[in-house]
Amino acid sequence: MNIVVMDDFGEENENYYFFESQREFDLHFEHNRDDNISHGERVVRTFYKYNKSNVTIHIISVRAMGIIESFQCLLNMNFDMLLLCFTIKDKSIYNQIAEWIDLFVSKRAIVICSCSNNTKGEGFGFPANHPAVLGVAQGAFLAADQFYFDNNSKDSKGKYYIHADATPEFIKISENQYCIFGGTSKAVPKFAAGFVNALKRGKADKRNIADYLRNYSGFKDDILFKQCKKGKIWDVEKTEVKTLMKIVNVLNEYLTEPINAIEFKDVSINDIWIAEDNFAEILINLFERFDLQVQIEDLHFCEFMSVHSLARFIEKQGVHNEM
C-alpha cells in the first residue's frame, strides 16, 4: 500500500522522499536530544506507532514546496491514501484543489483530512469539508481502531465527520526521545493506521468505506468517551493526601519551577509540559522512582490532566513507596 503524507517536514526537504519501512524513516530523520521535531514527522511517527501492515510512505513538504506545487507532485504519483493534517485558508485555490482531490478519489485513492476546530461555520475548514474527503474531527479514545461516525450530526453543508482519537499522547522519536502530539493532526494518522490494519484483516474494503464506518463505529454515549472528553479517567477524590504529597514532592525535584504544595490539585499537566522542555524525561524519572512498569508511549494525557490525577494514576498502579 502506498501512502502519501503531505505536511510540513521543514524547509530542507525540498523534494519528496519515500520510505518502505520505519527503519528507513528513522535513518533519514536522525535527531539529537534538543532538535525540533517537525509537524509532518509527528504525523508519520503516529501512523507507524499504530500501523501493523507493510506500507510505503511518501512524504511531501508543503512548507518547502508550497500548496499548489505539492498537489502537482501528486498528479504523477500512484498512491492509495493521502493524509492531509492541515486546512487551507486561501480560498482562491479551493476550486483547483477540489478538482485534484476529485481526480485522486476517482482513481480509488482515499483522502483523509484533519478538521479545524476554529472554522465550524465553514464545515470544519477546507479540504476537510470537501464531499469526497474523510474529514476527521476531535474525539477521545484509547485504541487505534476506535472511532465514532455520527450519522446524526452534520455541518452546515450536510457533511458527516469521523470523530477519532485526538487526545495528546507520547510519540517516540528516538531511543530516549519523545514528543507530545494531539489534536486532529494526530487523529488523522491514528485513524488511518486503524483503517489500513482493517484492510489487511479483511474488515474493510476500499471500494465501500461507508460500510466500514457504519459497522465499526462506536457510540457517542459510550461512558469511556464521556470520561476521556472530561479528562476524568480516575476518581481523584479518593486519593490519600499523604500519598499525593509524597508524589508531588518527588515531582518537584525534577521541575525548574516547583509546584506550590497548597495549589497542586489545580495545576494542569499541560502547564508543566509547556514550561519544561524535557517533560517526557521527567515523567520517566518519576515512574522509575516509584518503580512503575509503565511504557510512556502507552500513556494519554486524558489519564492525568492535572497533577492531582497524575498522582492518582501513580497510586492506582499499586505503588505507594518511593524507591
Side-chain angles (χ1 to χ4, degrees):
M1 190 169 199
N2 290 297
I3 298 174
V4 177
V5 178
M6 185 188 296
D7 213 295
D8 178 5
F9 289 92
E11 295 178 354
E12 68 276 8
N13 291 302
E14 295 184 1
N15 300 311
Y16 74 82
Y17 299 85
F18 72 92
F19 308 94
E20 294 185 343
S21 69
Q22 183 173 355
R23 176 170 173 74
E24 289 183 6
F25 188 84
D26 290 340
L27 290 174
H28 184 84
F29 287 96
E30 289 187 297
H31 290 288
N32 296 316
R33 181 184 177 279
D34 297 323
D35 286 350
N36 290 322
I37 311 302
S38 69
H39 185 272
E41 185 178 346
R42 294 170 190 239
V43 170
V44 174
R45 291 195 180 280
T46 301
F47 179 88
Y48 277 135
K49 178 177 179 178
Y50 293 101
N51 174 58
K52 308 299 181 186
S53 308
N54 293 324
V55 298
T56 298
I57 290 185
H58 304 254
I59 66 170
I60 298 177
S61 184
V62 174
R63 181 179 177 187
M65 300 182 69
I67 294 289
I68 293 294
E69 292 79 5
S70 296
F71 273 91
Q72 286 175 331
C73 277
L74 296 174
L75 297 176
N76 300 315
M77 296 173 61
N78 292 317
F79 58 92
D80 303 291
M81 182 180 289
L82 171 62
L83 305 186
L84 304 172
C85 295
F86 56 87
T87 53
I88 300 173
K89 296 182 179 179
D90 184 358
K91 294 185 178 181
S92 68
I93 63 174
Y94 278 16
N95 289 339
Q96 180 62 78
I97 300 298
E99 286 182 15
W100 284 334
I101 288 175
D102 287 336
L103 175 63
F104 303 149
V105 173
S106 72
K107 295 180 179 179
R108 297 200 180 283
I110 301 168
V111 182
I112 306 175
C113 183
S114 61
C115 297
S116 169
N117 296 313
N118 302 315
T119 56
K120 289 187 177 181
E122 299 178 14
F124 294 100
F126 180 84
N129 61 4
H130 188 277
V133 167
L134 294 181
V136 178
Q138 290 216 31
F141 318 98
L142 299 178
D145 56 355
Q146 282 187 288
F147 63 92
Y148 289 73
F149 185 66
D150 189 1
N151 284 303
N152 296 315
S153 67
K154 309 178 195 177
D155 68 9
S156 59
K157 297 180 180 179
K159 179 181 171 68
Y160 300 107
Y161 290 89
I162 298 161
H163 297 264
D165 182 7
T167 55
E169 62 181 277
F170 295 95
I171 305 298
K172 192 170 186 177
I173 303 301
S174 60
E175 189 60 33
N176 296 305
Q177 186 180 12
Y178 297 85
C179 69
I180 299 171
F181 196 34
T184 54
S185 291
K186 188 215 79 172
V188 165
K190 190 169 181 181
F191 169 78
F195 182 71
V196 171
N197 294 339
L199 286 172
K200 186 175 180 64
R201 296 195 303 266
K203 290 187 174 182
D205 187 338
K206 274 182 62 179
R207 295 167 298 181
N208 197 341
I209 300 173
D211 278 353
Y212 171 72
L213 295 175
R214 201 163 34 239
N215 295 333
Y216 292 96
S217 173
F219 300 95
K220 294 195 78 174
D221 59 353
D222 190 296
I223 294 175
L224 181 60
F225 175 84
K226 293 178 180 178
Q227 286 180 321
C228 290
K229 199 157 188 176
K230 293 179 180 178
K232 295 181 178 179
I233 296 297
W234 308 116
D235 183 3
V236 298
E237 298 305 323
K238 294 182 179 180
T239 310
E240 294 181 6
V241 173
K242 184 178 179 181
T243 302
L244 284 169
M245 293 307 303
K246 181 182 293 187
I247 293 169
V248 170
N249 288 336
V250 174
L251 177 62
N252 275 338
E253 295 178 23
Y254 299 101
L255 301 180
T256 54
E257 295 185 11
I259 300 168
N260 186 304
I262 298 176
E263 301 175 350
F264 75 88
K265 288 185 180 181
D266 300 319
V267 175
S268 167
I269 287 295
N270 189 59
D271 293 339
I272 298 177
W273 160 38
I274 293 172
E276 305 288 343
D277 293 333
N278 60 336
F279 179 63
E281 292 181 25
I282 290 174
L283 279 184
I284 291 172
N285 289 331
L286 183 65
F287 294 152
E288 288 180 349
R289 287 282 291 273
F290 287 94
D291 197 28
L292 265 63
Q293 302 301 312
V294 176
Q295 296 298 316
I296 195 168
E297 56 263 42
D298 294 335
L299 300 177
H300 289 67
F301 267 25
C302 62
E303 292 175 300
F304 39 82
M305 298 297 286
S306 67
V307 172
H308 195 173
S309 55
L310 170 61
R312 178 59 173 163
F313 172 81
I314 292 174
E315 187 191 42
K316 288 285 286 187
Q317 309 306 308
V319 179
H320 299 271
N321 298 311
E322 176 192 350
M323 300 300 289

